[in-house]
Amino acid sequence: MRRFTLPLLFLPVLLALSVPAFARIFDPESFTLDNGLQVVVVNNARAPIVTHMLWYKVGAADEPVGKSGVAHFLEHLMFKGTDKLAPGEFSRIVAANGGSENAFTSWDYTGYYQTVAKDRLEIMMRHEADRMANLKLVDAIVLPERDVVLEERRSRTDNEPGGRLSEMARASLFLHHPYGTPIIGWPQEVSALTTQDAIDFYRQWYAPNNAVLVISGDVTAQEVKPLAESTYGLVPRRDVPDRVRPSEPPQTAPRRVSLESEQVRQPSLSIEYLAPSYNRSTDEFAQADPYALEILSELLGGASSSRLYQRLVVDQGLAAGAGSWYDASDYDLSSFGLYISPRPGVDVEIAEEALRAEIATLLEGGVTPQEVSDAKQRLTAAAIFARDDLSTAPRAIGQALVTGQTLDDIESWPERIEAVTPEQVEAAARAILKDNSSVTRLLLPKPTS
C-alpha cells in the first residue's frame, strides 16, 4: 500500500478548489454524533461508490517541541493494527473489497480515506472507528517503521535539491511559528522518536470530538447516520487540548536563500510573502482580504492567459514558465508566492529583474476591471467541475472544517468571490507584496568544471 503523507499532493487540487464559485457548491448534509464527531455527507449518485474520509484536527504544527515529525510518524503507524486487526490487515480488507485507500499529514490536519463500493461503506466505518480508539503499538512494529520514515525523508528531501531548498525557504518564512518546521520532521528528531511518543500523541489528539468525517458518493445522510452511530458512535469522547501555537513575529527585512546543485539542470526562482488565511490575519494584513488575494493570484498567474505568463513567457520570451500560488485554507497565517523559470540561455538575474518589474507595475498601475472579471470567470468555470470528482467534496470540505471554516463559508464562497472589487484586489496586493516580508528562493545549477 502506497501512502502519500505530505500535503503537496493535495495542493494542486486544493489550490484549484480554494475557489469553487458556484451557487450551492456541494449541497452537503451534516449531523453531529453524541460523542462530538461531525459527519458531513455529499450525495453524488453518478456511480454506486463512496469516498469515506476521516480528518483529525491535528498536524505537524501541533507537535511538542523536540518531537518534530511525530504527527506524520503516527500516520504511518495507524496502519499497524488494533486488538481486532493485525498490522496491515485493514489495508488488505480494503483491497479485498475492491477499494483504494491513502492517508496524508499537513501542518494543520491528518486524514485517512478509502474509496469503495457503496455496500462496503459500513466495513470501512467499522475499522476506521476501531483504529480511532484501539491502535496497538509496540517497539517491534514501531521502530522499523521509523526507519521507513527516515528513508522517506532521505528520498524526498535530503536527496532532492528542490526539497532541501524548500525546507530552508519555509524555515526562513516562518522563523518562530511551527509552520517553519518540516512536516516529516528534522532528521535528528525523527530518529529519536519512540513508541511512547507516538502513543502519547495519539491519545492526546485522536478522539471523535476532534475529528470530522466526510462521505461523498451514492449515499444520503439518512443512510449514513445509523451506520455512524453503530460504528463511530461507540467511541467515547475524550478531553482534547486547545491548539496553542506561537505567533509569527513581524518580518522586518527581506530574506534570500539559494542552493546550487549538480542535480539541477534548469534554474528557478520564487518570491514568497506572508499572507493572511481565511482563519487568521494580523493588523498588518487588515486590507488583505483572502478572497481578493485569490482573485489576485488567479489574475497574476493562474492560467496561461494570466498577466505573468503573458508578459514574461509570451511577450518578453524570458521564461519557460511563470505564475503564482495562494492557499487561504491554513489554520494560521498563509503565504502568497510568485515564480519564474527562465528559458535556457536567460540569466536568472534577468528573469528575477523582470518578475520584480511586474510586481512594481502591479503596485503602481493596479489591475483592470476586465482582469478581475476574467479571473472570476475562470474560477467560476473551475467550480462547475468541482463535483465531477468523487474525492473533491471530502477534500475541500474536510480541509475547510478542520482549519476553522464552516459549511456556510464553503457554500457562500460564490457570493464572496463575486463581491470582490478591483480596489480590494489592489489593496490586498499593496498589503502583502512587500520586500520586507518576503523570502526569495533560488535553485541553481552547479558548474561541473
Side-chain angles (χ1 to χ4, degrees), residues 52-293:
H52 166 263
M53 192 173 292
L54 183 67
W55 296 70
Y56 289 100
K57 299 176 185 178
V58 62
D62 302 299
E63 295 165 339
V65 174
K67 303 292 183 183
S68 67
V70 70
H72 168 253
F73 186 32
L74 177 59
E75 178 220 306
H76 277 241
L77 298 175
M78 286 291 286
F79 294 83
K80 298 305 180 184
T82 66
D83 289 334
K84 298 178 181 177
L85 294 176
E89 188 174 353
F90 188 9
S91 297
R92 290 192 289 273
I93 290 172
V94 173
N97 282 280
S100 60
E101 64 169 345
N102 223 315
F104 50 89
T105 304
S106 87
W107 282 281
D108 292 325
Y109 48 78
T110 310
Y112 306 85
Y113 71 91
Q114 305 87 30
T115 297
V116 293
K118 172 184 177 180
D119 61 357
R120 311 302 166 92
L121 175 60
E122 189 275 340
I123 300 173
M124 303 301 114
M125 297 176 76
R126 175 160 34 95
H127 292 308
E128 194 68 80
D130 178 37
R131 68 176 173 180
M132 173 186 280
N134 303 308
L135 184 65
K136 187 175 181 180
L137 298 179
V138 295
D139 282 354
I141 293 174
V142 170
L143 300 185
E145 193 65 24
R146 189 179 63 189
D147 294 335
V148 172
V149 172
L150 287 167
E151 179 57 33
E152 180 182 339
R153 187 193 150 81
R154 280 191 288 272
S155 66
R156 292 190 175 187
T157 302
D158 301 338
N159 294 331
E160 288 292 333
R164 299 200 301 275
L165 181 62
S166 293
E167 197 169 82
M168 293 298 104
R170 185 84 183 181
S172 299
L173 186 66
F174 292 99
L175 284 181
H176 189 54
H177 190 280
Y179 283 170
T181 298
I183 295 167
I184 201 167
W186 299 115
Q188 78 280 9
E189 294 185 351
V190 175
S191 63
L193 291 174
T194 67
T195 301
Q196 192 59 51
D197 291 332
I199 292 172
D200 290 345
F201 197 76
Y202 171 71
R203 289 178 177 167
Q204 186 173 27
W205 295 103
Y206 278 46
N209 44 305
N210 197 44
V212 175
L213 175 65
V214 188
I215 299 174
S216 173
D218 189 16
V219 289
T220 64
Q222 185 177 9
E223 294 173 293
V224 167
K225 190 170 184 178
L227 298 177
E229 290 173 335
S230 64
T231 54
Y232 290 102
L234 303 180
V235 180
R237 67 184 301 143
R238 294 201 305 271
D239 291 338
V240 175
D242 294 333
R243 309 178 87 173
V244 180
R245 300 169 172 181
S247 58
E248 184 66 17
Q251 185 175 339
T252 57
R255 301 162 190 164
R256 193 177 184 91
V257 294
S258 65
L259 186 147
E260 285 188 351
S261 171
E262 296 175 353
Q263 296 175 259
V264 176
R265 294 290 177 266
Q266 190 66 21
S268 61
L269 178 142
S270 65
I271 307 172
E272 195 165 4
Y273 305 84
L274 287 173
S277 67
Y278 288 137
N279 193 54
R280 196 77 69 204
S281 188
T282 66
D283 291 343
E284 179 185 5
F285 298 133
Q287 301 303 312
D289 178 79
Y291 300 94
L293 288 176

